[in-house]
Amino acid sequence: MRVDDFDFELPQDLIALRPASPRDAARMLVVRPGGLDDRVVRDLPGLLAPGDVLVFNDTRVIPAQLFGQKGDAKIGVTLHKREGPYEWRAFVRNAKRLKAGDRVDFGAGLEGVVTEKSADGSILWRFECEGALEAALHAAGTMPLPPYIAGKRPADARDAEDYQTMFAAREGAVAAPTAALHFSPDLIAALDARGVGRETLTLHVGAGTFLPVKVDDTRDHKMHAEWGEVSAGAAARLNAARAAGGRIIAVGTTSLRLLESAAREDGQIAAFSGDTDIFITPGYRFRAVQGLMTNFHLPRSTLFMLVSALVGLQTMRGAYAHAIENGYRFYSYGDSSLLLP
């Protein structure tokens, strides 16, 4: 398909710079075959049935934004994908000033050595520090806000909490699975009372999620790879819930992409551990999920292509037009949608 098919105009004042407070007070647009329904996130229990299962991503965002100096050049680094105990692939601002073997001081006792420059523009770094790299990153790095927020304001102390979900447990993401930012302990208690189940998996979200699609045809786009894991126990419980008539509702496109990566042709979900670069566009046959809760995405993005694959491009264009007309807040800190095809 043409990438232009997924374009739309978004007023800049609809880009959310802070999350709703409390989290479950965010608006939620319900998209079903019968039409659209304006709700709020705390209405979710009444929109699901006992036996349905919500699937959350338990990845935790690390301070993946680094700023260093090489001579008179300022080097900005956004970590993307871990390649080893002290190795990370990253996107780099001012990368033309670097060559293999160059050393950059990021402060707080953390240095990075350029080991490889890739054709996609990323750089493989080998980091050097005293002790564990995780501790050094927490000392030297800052929270990696999405570019559409970082371009309007710097990260601050509030983001350290705002940009983590209540399920965040396993460190490794450089972007939050933002659909789950809307959940609170009170909402989880209400879902429990309703009989809605929940499972967690892990997909360490990479910075590639924000990369623009630069080709004209979706068939020519190469998706970034991210590491994910679905445990054998979670897979078995999800299969049992579906066999009993429950729906599997992914909370966020990261959860959906990993579930579909782990699903067999017959729809059974298998244990999974490894990289996935699944790219979902209209025409894809969904095997694992029966619904998706997700925020509102960028025009021409792989994520808008994914939601269009789930409920139809014209349906999503209509839903986004409705959201824009009615002042829904967009992107990572914005409002939510519940897609029930």
Side-chain angles (χ1 to χ4, degrees), residues 15 106 150 237 258 285 292:
I15 299 175
F106 294 106
R237 290 187 295 271
L258 186 55
R285 183 178 67 85
L292 170 67

Side-chain angles (χ1 to χ4, degrees), residues 1-205:
M1 297 184 69
R2 303 292 298 175
V3 173
D4 287 346
D5 293 339
F6 302 93
D7 202 5
F8 58 89
E9 291 293 329
L10 179 71
Q12 289 294 298
D13 61 355
L14 294 184
I15 299 175
L17 300 184
R18 298 286 184 185
S21 182
R23 293 190 178 204
D24 57 12
R27 300 171 72 189
M28 182 170 68
L29 180 61
V30 182
V31 183
R32 286 181 278 216
L36 307 175
D37 190 8
D38 296 299
R39 298 294 195 101
V40 294
V41 171
R42 63 169 65 105
D43 293 335
L44 184 61
L47 296 166
L48 301 178
D52 289 344
V53 181
L54 293 168
V55 183
F56 297 92
N57 185 355
D58 68 0
T59 191
R60 186 172 185 83
V61 183
I62 63 171
Q65 194 81 52
L66 300 170
F67 298 95
Q69 195 85 21
K70 177 185 174 292
D72 61 351
K74 294 182 178 180
I75 307 297
V77 171
T78 302
L79 301 182
H80 167 49
K81 186 173 184 292
R82 191 165 201 160
E83 301 286 1
Y86 288 86
E87 290 79 35
W88 274 85
R89 194 166 297 279
F91 298 112
V92 178
R93 190 167 62 248
N94 230 353
K96 292 181 179 179
R97 302 292 295 270
L98 298 174
K99 64 182 184 300
D102 282 350
R103 181 179 296 269
V104 175
D105 185 356
F106 294 106
L110 179 66
E111 292 189 345
V113 178
V114 176
T115 62
E116 175 187 293
K117 296 185 74 173
S118 301
D120 65 359
S122 66
I123 286 179
L124 182 63
W125 294 86
R126 184 185 76 251
F127 288 103
E128 298 178 357
C129 58
E130 291 289 334
L133 178 58
E134 290 77 8
L137 290 176
H138 278 278
T142 60
M143 192 61 75
L145 287 182
Y148 42 76
I149 296 176
K152 295 177 181 290
R153 67 166 180 84
D156 58 28
R158 281 181 58 184
D159 293 304
E161 180 176 348
D162 286 347
Y163 203 53
Q164 299 281 14
T165 75
M166 65 176 290
F167 309 98
R170 302 179 69 182
E171 287 202 338
V174 302
T178 55
L181 292 178
H182 300 294
F183 285 79
S184 66
D186 286 345
L187 179 56
I188 290 296
L191 288 162
D192 289 346
R194 176 68 170 162
V196 175
R198 65 180 180 275
E199 291 289 343
T200 58
L201 45 69
T202 305
L203 185 84
H204 289 324
V205 191

Side-chain angles (χ1 to χ4, degrees), residues 198-221:
R198 65 180 180 275
E199 291 289 343
T200 58
L201 45 69
T202 305
L203 185 84
H204 289 324
V205 191
T209 191
F210 302 118
L211 289 179
V213 178
K214 296 181 178 179
V215 296
D216 295 325
D217 193 303
T218 58
R219 291 174 297 184
D220 299 325
H221 178 69

